[in-house]
Amino acid sequence: MIRRSSRLTGGRLIRACLLATALSVPAGAAFAAKQLSVPATAPTADTLSPAQIDLQWEKRGAKHVSDVAAELRQVEQGDGQGPFRPDWASLKTYQVPQWYADAKFGVFIHWGLYSVPAFGSEWYSRLMYTKGTKEYDHHIKTFGPQDKFGYKDFIPLFKAEKYDPRAWAALFRAAGAQYVVPVAEHHDGFAMYDTRLSDWSAVRMGPKRDLIGDLARAVRAQGLHLGLSSHRAEHDWFFDEGRKIPSDVNDPRYADFYGPAQLRVKEKGSDDADVFGDFTPVSQAWLSDWLARSAELVDLYHPDLIYFDWWIGHPAFRGTLPKFLAYYYNSQAKLGGSAIVNYKIGAFPEGAGVLDIERGQLPGIQPRVWQTCTSISNDSWGYVENDTYKSPQALIHLLADVVSKNGNLLLNIGPRADGSIPQGAQDTLMAMGGWLTVNGEAIYGTRPWRQFGEGPTEVASGSFQETKTKPYTAQDFRFTTKGTALYAIELGWPAEGEAVIHSLKAEDKVKAVTLLGTGGGTLTFRQDADGLHLTLPQRPAGAIAAYVYRIEMQ
């Protein structure tokens, strides 16, 4: 359990932590290194306690203590002004905004320093310090040893010289997306926005530009909704492997960038997603800093949606999350805006936000709106060289399946370090947009039918299960409804010139059937005991095998 003080907040809390830690632990790494003539980059995993590690981080960020304290006071004030209290009982009364339930499709953007090495995945920042990984070996071979060239040294190479937020926003609109969610800060701790709580940001370093602010304006100019993603929670430990080798993570001068880098403590056999088998130290000072930075995003950009990655589900966050949620929900309500928070399984009680399933799906129709997120590319969320892309057809099939179960699809792209979007990603988005231009009425603003679909292809449910789904067939249908229309999306073209929808029986009394994309003519049909039989015309144009029948009932 985390001890919490009801009155000791902000600057007083951090100063108290500094004083208490200084009185209870030996001198820090910088002093010890000086006394023993040990290089500042020497390994510290075996020489520093969690309290010393945290003190090192707090000292380097001391210049921002007053700003953190001011943000925390604002959160405390905001928590008491609005329809929500900072407790789970109140937060479970949250209702999903109508626009989000109607939107169905959004674009996620992983763009940051990790796009400079463009190798492995967006976890390059961690794995370049992890012995035995391909990223570790690649880094030494390409850039040099980690005590000579660390992750921070990618910052000057991150220039974003081709970044055109208006072109990005126009592409996303053409793709049919209704909301856009750039990563404001990834696990690496580099803020892509104009934070006043850290010097390590794209405004002060690298591009020297508010990358998030520029995109926010462009997205809203296109009539799209803005979301933001924060992965800062994981930064508590993300660089811990750098403490085990000679690296700049050990140098106290960079502690405010690399974060506490607390040594990860996990139960044997547990994976990264298992936060309940995770006993990594999390200080109250870190939780307060996380809360301040999350609230700052709300204050600066008033996003319609905030996406959090999995580690906010760690038990240490249980007392802090309600403070943020109440602040965000109340702040947006005061402005007349929307507020949506995407969370992973176990982080929130049901109903307090919108559940997100990463690279996976849920079984059957869900009573609450949910979301799946996946990347357009196969190997990484961020840009890496020689990556491959999912086909537009596979993504449209995924979209149809998710929407039929009351879900949304958040599809990620990874721009290059210069700000250009790879042509393969652009082509895929435009192909999806082309399909949605013709068939979007079966997606946008729809709701589930009495069953989500029919057919032989089963979808593996759960996170990280997407590769287990087999290709769909012409016998697979997914259903949606809007008004008086039922939409049946056939995920293949039948070779016999006839489609049979077994879920529609004679008693359903079909009045008319139209195949979208064929000029609006109605189809000949008959209703038998085994279902609705449709006589089909020549196969419609288009490379995506997903065909929409609008069915009017009597």
Side-chain angles (χ1 to χ4, degrees):
M1 297 292 291
I2 299 295
R3 290 182 297 157
R4 297 170 57 205
S5 169
S6 59
R7 303 304 304 169
L8 197 59
T9 60
R12 287 185 296 166
L13 170 62
I14 294 176
R15 285 192 292 272
C17 289
L18 285 167
L19 179 59
T21 308
L23 291 173
S24 62
V25 300
F31 177 78
K34 182 177 179 181
Q35 291 296 97
L36 301 174
S37 299
V38 175
T41 56
T44 54
D46 297 327
T47 60
L48 295 180
S49 69
Q52 289 172 304
I53 286 172
D54 198 69
L55 177 60
Q56 206 176 71
W57 164 70
E58 290 184 54
K59 282 184 174 180
R60 286 300 301 174
K63 64 181 290 187
H64 299 291
V65 162
S66 61
D67 288 328
V68 169
E71 191 67 53
L72 292 176
R73 286 193 296 270
Q74 189 160 315
V75 170
E76 186 174 359
Q77 183 179 19
D79 278 352
Q81 298 180 348
F84 293 96
R85 304 184 309 268
D87 62 67
W88 293 118
S90 174
L91 295 166
K92 278 173 62 66
T93 66
Y94 166 82
Q95 296 293 316
V96 175
Q98 179 78 23
W99 77 261
Y100 183 75
D102 291 342
K104 308 304 182 186
F105 180 39
V107 169
F108 207 2
I109 308 168
H110 276 66
W111 186 40
L113 298 183
Y114 40 85
S115 61
V116 176
F119 183 86
S121 74
E122 77 287 353
W123 275 41
Y124 187 93
S125 53
R126 174 173 174 79
L127 297 177
M128 63 171 275
Y129 294 102
T130 306
K131 280 188 173 182
T133 65
K134 63 181 182 180
E135 289 84 358
Y136 179 90
D137 296 334
H138 172 83
H139 189 83
I140 294 175
K141 180 179 178 181
T142 308
F143 303 104
Q146 292 80 350
D147 58 348
K148 299 295 189 296
F149 192 107
Y151 188 67
K152 70 182 185 311
D153 297 305
F154 286 118
I155 296 175
L157 305 178
F158 183 53
K159 300 177 181 179
E161 64 271 23
K162 295 182 181 179
Y163 177 45
D164 184 347
R166 288 182 295 181
W168 281 23
L171 171 65
F172 304 148
R173 182 178 177 84
Q178 303 298 297
Y179 56 108
V180 179
V181 186
V183 173
E185 181 179 340
H186 200 247
H187 313 319
D188 63 359
F190 187 74
M192 300 285 282
Y193 64 100
D194 191 14
T195 178
R196 71 182 189 282
L197 306 182
S198 172
D199 293 331
W200 298 89
S201 74
V203 174
R204 292 175 174 83
M205 300 177 178
K208 295 187 177 179
R209 179 177 178 181
D210 184 359
L211 302 174
I212 293 296
D214 290 346
L215 184 60
R217 287 184 287 274
V219 162
R220 284 170 166 154
Q222 286 287 347
L224 306 178
H225 289 271
L226 174 73
L228 295 176
S229 181
S230 171
H231 306 238
R232 182 163 180 79
E234 293 81 1
H235 192 58
D236 179 62
W237 50 265
F238 205 64
F239 285 99
D240 70 327
E241 292 293 327
R243 292 198 177 278
K244 302 174 185 178
I245 64 170
S247 81
D248 59 340
V249 174
N250 301 297
D251 193 329
R253 292 178 297 169
Y254 307 117
D256 51 338
F257 177 52
Y258 291 118
Q262 291 285 2
L263 296 177
R264 194 91 184 271
V265 181
K266 296 191 298 180
E267 284 288 89
K268 185 177 180 180
S270 64
D271 59 20
D272 280 320
D274 181 14
V275 293
F276 299 103
D278 191 322
F279 296 89
T280 304
V282 183
S283 71
Q284 183 59 54
W286 175 257
L287 293 170
S288 295
D289 180 83
W290 176 88
L291 176 59
R293 294 202 189 206
S294 300
E296 183 188 43
L297 288 173
V298 174
D299 298 340
L300 288 173
Y301 306 107
H302 306 291
D304 299 307
L305 177 151
I306 291 181
Y307 175 110
F308 287 128
D309 214 346
W310 88 100
W311 217 63
I312 59 162
H314 190 283
F317 282 82
R318 287 284 175 89
T320 303
L321 273 170
K323 296 176 183 292
F324 171 75
L325 294 177
Y327 180 70
Y328 177 40
Y329 291 165
N330 289 341
S331 296
Q332 289 296 94
K334 186 176 181 180
L335 294 173
S338 71
I340 300 157
V341 177
N342 295 146
Y343 70 93
K344 303 298 175 67
I345 291 175
F348 292 7
E350 188 176 24
V354 174
L355 176 65
D356 178 89
I357 303 295
E358 184 174 343
R359 290 189 183 270
Q361 292 159 258
L362 290 176
I365 296 172
Q366 300 298 309
R368 300 179 186 275
V369 177
W370 61 285
Q371 179 178 273
T372 185
C373 62
T374 191
S375 185
I376 203 169
S377 56
N378 293 310
D379 294 337
S380 176
W381 294 81
Y383 173 75
V384 296
E385 294 180 356
N386 303 314
D387 205 348
T388 57
Y389 298 94
K390 297 178 175 68
S391 71
Q393 178 168 298
L395 292 168
I396 289 295
H397 286 177
L398 172 62
L399 177 64
D401 183 76
V402 168
V403 170
S404 74
K405 298 171 180 174
N406 204 27
N408 286 14
L409 170 62
L410 182 61
L411 180 63
N412 176 75
I413 64 165
R416 297 184 182 92
D418 63 10
S420 62
I421 297 175
Q423 192 61 48
Q426 293 190 50
D427 292 344
T428 298
L429 287 174
M430 290 302 295
M432 295 178 71
W435 186 90
L436 285 164
T437 298
V438 174
N439 302 289
E441 66 177 89
I443 299 296
Y444 304 124
T446 62
R447 296 296 181 267
W449 191 43
R450 65 192 182 205
Q451 64 191 67
F452 73 88
E454 69 175 49
T457 306
E458 296 184 6
V459 176
S461 61
S463 301
F464 304 101
Q465 301 297 310
E466 65 181 10
T467 58
K468 296 181 180 179
T469 298
K470 296 179 180 180
Y472 290 98
T473 71
Q475 287 72 51
D476 290 301
F477 291 85
R478 293 297 179 264
F479 304 118
T480 63
T481 63
K482 182 164 53 181
T484 61
L486 166 67
Y487 296 95
I489 306 172
E490 189 173 19
L491 304 180
W493 188 256
E496 301 80 10
E498 181 184 70
V500 181
I501 305 175
H502 298 289
S503 300
L504 280 163
K505 306 300 184 183
E507 57 268 26
D508 285 315
K509 300 185 183 302
V510 173
K511 180 171 63 175
V513 181
T514 303
L515 174 59
L516 301 188
T518 57
T522 59
L523 300 180
T524 300
F525 67 90
R526 75 177 191 275
Q527 288 185 269
D528 293 340
D530 67 335
L532 177 67
H533 292 248
L534 305 176
T535 302
L536 303 180
Q538 185 178 0
R539 181 173 178 167
I544 296 177
Y547 308 98
V548 178
Y549 305 101
R550 182 174 60 232
I551 303 170
E552 298 291 340
M553 314 294 286
Q554 294 183 17

